[in-house]
């Protein structure tokens, strides 16, 4: 509404209408006159920012009907009934239909003086109604945002009792929202390290105005349930001043899920300790045996007959690890290239069997090879060697003594299939879809050395040749990994290889 409010007087009696208009305009408002309900509704359609003073006996429509229409179409437009009908029942009915006020005409014209106050009151109430409606819209918009956001939001009463929680947070705590409200925040989360209690945190919020830090869901092991939380007090003027200053405030808590970050952090820590271990073990073997060999008077019966093979194998283990890292950085930088040349797949497998024969034998494993005549494959031989070494190495690593490993090469449609079948411990079905992810290691494997990079790299190398790796496994019985390589390399791959 502009500075000057606009008043519309709807009255069938011309004399009466003029008297009302004259009385109201003394209040400094702009006044328009109308005789019929139709004109009134037409004015409102153009601009509802008016106060309507209406009689109940408009010529074209019952005044109560007009009230009802205004209330439904223009709920923020004050409608004041000015009538000669001095009947409480009629007044109540009019109010029920949407009248904001009810003024009874007096023969002595006293009501005209009251009208100015009535209009002023209606305008005040209109301002309040508008403000309330605006707040209501804002609150609704906020509620929608809170419900929809993936961050967790909670409102805490003094002492940490939860007054509100949004769906994201309740779901993360695996509780319905109603089961969380009314309980203490302490029951769900804790600050890591026993030294800090949530009560202290809330006191710090009250004193210093804000707190940010990490909290963890109770009963859940990191990296799950790790949150970055910010606690902000809601500034209420009543509690900011006086003796209660800084105390007993309502606090808004925003929870940001840090599970992914904590997971990466954990992975990094696991990974570091793993590579340190994986390098240390073969290095100790190399150093120990070379010391024996360089000893001028070596204890004769302590030197194993295959000492040089063992040293070589330990060196190869470290070499493979370093190659894996180099490959990984090449893959991540998008710099992996292949140099394809024709090779005999059966010969490559035979060479691997020969190379790994001694470590399989030492572990008490039988290593067999089954091939059929095959066409040559166009592959990058050193890279394929690495893939084979990885799959065969895994079969040896994850198969207990007495087991059997069977390598095979055969034609499968347009592909050559290189199979690695073992009688090892197998892989749980829920791990299979993730097996080829970077750093992925099956939970039970964490006690065996390994970085979880081998299969990721193997799959990437095979994919670069236009092929794929398949795995079938049964816990307790064994696993079969199969490399599928197309006999005819796809044109696009060959072109890329040539450029690469
Ligand atoms: P790692 O260095 O841990 O061996 P890989 O990427 O080569 O990494 O293998 C990923 C995980 O897959 C291993 O940690 C192991 O749990 C599982 N795995 C791979 N091959 C076998 C197999 N032949 N038998 C059982 N588990 C296997």
């Amino acid at each position: 509404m502009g500075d000057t409010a606009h008043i519309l007087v709807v009255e069938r009696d011309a004399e009466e209408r003029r008297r009302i208009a004259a009385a109201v305009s003394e209040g400094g408002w702009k006044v328009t006159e109308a005789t019929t309900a139709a004109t009134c509704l037409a004015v409102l359609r153009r601009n509802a920012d008016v106060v309507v003073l209406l009689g109940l006996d408009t010529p074209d429509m019952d005044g109560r009907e007009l009230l009802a229409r205004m209330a439904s179409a223009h709920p923020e437009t004050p409608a004041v009934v000015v009538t000669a009908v001095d009947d409480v029942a009629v007044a109540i009915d009019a109010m029920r239909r949407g009248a904001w006020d009810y003024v009874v005409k007096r023969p002595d014209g006293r009501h005209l003086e009251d009208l100015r106050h009535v209009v002023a009151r209606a305008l005040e109430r209109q301002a309040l109604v508008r403000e309330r409606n605006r707040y209501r819209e804002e609150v609704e918009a906020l509620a929608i945002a809170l419900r929809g956001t993936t961050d967790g939001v909670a409102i805490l009463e003094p002492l940490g009792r939860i007054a509100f929680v949004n769906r994201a947070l309740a779901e993360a705590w695996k509780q319905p929202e109603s089961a969380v409200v009314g309980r203490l925040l302490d029951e769900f989360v804790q600050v890591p390290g026993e030294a800090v209690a949530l009560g202290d945190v809330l006191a710090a919020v009250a004193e210093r105005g804000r707190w940010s830090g990490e909290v963890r869901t109770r009963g859940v092991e990191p990296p799950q349930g790790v949150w970055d939380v910010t606690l902000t007090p809601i500034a209420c003027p009543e509690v900011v001043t006086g003796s209660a200053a800084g105390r007993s405030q309502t606090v808004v808590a925003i929870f940001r899920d840090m599970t992914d970050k904590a997971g990466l952090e954990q992975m990094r820590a696991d990974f570091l300790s793993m590579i340190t271990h994986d390098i240390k073990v073969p290095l100790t073997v190399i150093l120990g045996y070379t010391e024996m060999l360089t000893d001028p008077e070596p204890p004769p019966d302590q030197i194993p007959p295959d000492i040089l093979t063992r040293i070589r194998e330990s060196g190869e283990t470290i070499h493979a690890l370093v190659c894996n890292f180099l490959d990984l950085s090449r893959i991540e930088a998008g710099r992996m290239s292949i140099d394809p040349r024709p090779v005999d797949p059966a010969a490559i497998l035979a060479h691997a069997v020969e190379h790994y024969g001694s470590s399989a034998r030492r572990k008490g494993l039988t290593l067999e090879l089954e091939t059929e005549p095959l066409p040559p494959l166009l592959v990058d031989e050193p890279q394929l060697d690495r893939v084979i070494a990885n799959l065969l190495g895994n079969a040896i690593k994850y198969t207990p003594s007495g087991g059997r490993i069977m390598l095979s090469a055969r034609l499968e449609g347009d592909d050559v299939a290189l199979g690695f079948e073992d009688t090892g411990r197998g892989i749980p079905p829920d791990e299979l879809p993730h097996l080829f992810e970077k750093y992925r290691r099956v939970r039970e494997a964490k006690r065996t050395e390994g970085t979880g990079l081998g299969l990721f790299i193997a799959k990437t190398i095979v994919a670069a040749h236009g092929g794929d790796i398949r795995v079938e496994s049964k816990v307790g019985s064994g696993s079969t990994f199969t490399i599928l390589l197309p006999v005819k390399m796809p044109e696009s791959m060959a072109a890329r290889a040539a450029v690469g």
Side-chain angles (χ1 to χ4, degrees), residues 249-471:
Q249 283 167 318
T250 300
V251 169
V252 176
I254 310 282
F255 290 75
R256 179 148 298 161
D257 191 350
M258 300 308 281
T259 302
D260 287 351
K261 192 171 156 231
L264 279 178
E265 202 45 49
Q266 184 68 41
M267 210 182 242
R268 199 184 64 87
D270 284 355
F271 187 68
L272 267 183
S273 73
M274 199 116 60
I275 53 167
T276 319
H277 173 265
D278 285 4
I279 291 180
K280 207 169 153 194
V281 171
L283 208 53
T284 311
V285 171
I286 293 172
L287 293 176
Y289 286 153
T290 40
E291 198 176 306
M292 260 184 206
L293 288 177
T294 49
D295 191 339
E297 288 170 29
D301 47 347
Q302 275 186 25
I303 296 186
D306 60 348
I307 187 164
L308 287 178
T309 308
R310 293 190 189 200
I311 290 174
R312 190 202 70 206
E313 283 171 2
S314 294
E316 280 173 356
T317 303
I318 298 175
H319 180 250
L321 202 67
V322 173
C323 284
N324 272 354
F325 287 126
L326 287 177
D327 276 345
L328 181 68
S329 67
R330 263 188 226 122
I331 290 169
E332 289 188 333
R335 277 193 293 108
M336 201 187 73
S337 59
I338 50 175
D339 179 15
R341 286 159 207 250
V343 296
D344 172 8
I348 288 200
L349 282 193
H351 179 253
V353 167
E354 193 185 311
H355 195 82
Y356 282 87
S358 57
S359 52
R361 267 193 305 281
R362 204 172 324 116
K363 223 189 145 182
L365 302 171
T366 328
L367 186 54
E368 289 166 32
L369 173 63
E370 209 178 79
T371 57
E372 57 184 55
L374 292 165
L377 281 176
L378 251 189
V379 293
D380 182 318
E381 191 172 351
Q383 298 225 42
L384 184 62
D385 272 344
R386 306 254 313 288
V387 176
I388 290 170
N390 181 266
L391 295 186
L392 183 51
N394 278 350
I396 295 172
K397 192 156 69 171
Y398 299 113
T399 303
S401 169
R404 178 165 164 268
I405 296 168
M406 166 72 93
L407 268 57
S408 61
R410 61 189 191 307
L411 208 54
E412 211 182 281
D414 293 334
D415 295 329
V416 166
L418 308 178
F420 301 76
E421 185 184 340
D422 66 49
T423 56
R425 64 170 175 222
I427 299 156
D430 58 325
E431 297 276 359
L432 285 176
H434 305 288
L435 210 58
F436 295 92
E437 288 170 12
K438 214 189 310 180
Y439 302 127
R440 191 71 184 199
R441 308 202 69 220
V442 176
R443 197 163 286 282
E444 304 90 76
K446 296 215 165 153
R447 271 171 275 122
T448 328
E449 64 202 50
T451 52
L453 281 178
L455 287 181
F456 167 73
I457 292 170
K459 181 123 179 162
T460 312
I461 291 177
V462 173
H465 285 83
D468 197 6
I469 303 187
R470 203 170 57 199
V471 55

Side-chain angles (χ1 to χ4, degrees), residues 152-198:
V153 181
I155 297 178
L156 308 175
E157 286 170 4
L159 306 179
R161 200 167 287 285
I162 299 169
F164 166 87
V165 71
N166 75 340
R167 198 187 311 151
L169 196 54
E171 270 173 13
W173 290 343
K174 300 192 173 32
Q175 306 265 352
E177 285 152 67
S178 57
V180 176
V181 169
R183 288 168 66 187
L184 290 169
L185 185 62
D186 276 72
E187 296 177 44
F188 298 99
V189 292
Q190 63 191 27
V191 182
E194 284 306 304
V196 191
L198 269 173

Side-chain angles (χ1 to χ4, degrees), residues 16 19 23 32 62 115 133 184 187 215 247 305 402 408 416 448:
E16 185 63 24
R19 290 213 296 158
T32 310
D62 184 279
L115 270 183
N133 289 347
L184 290 169
E187 296 177 44
V215 299
R247 295 258 153 244
S408 61
V416 166
T448 328

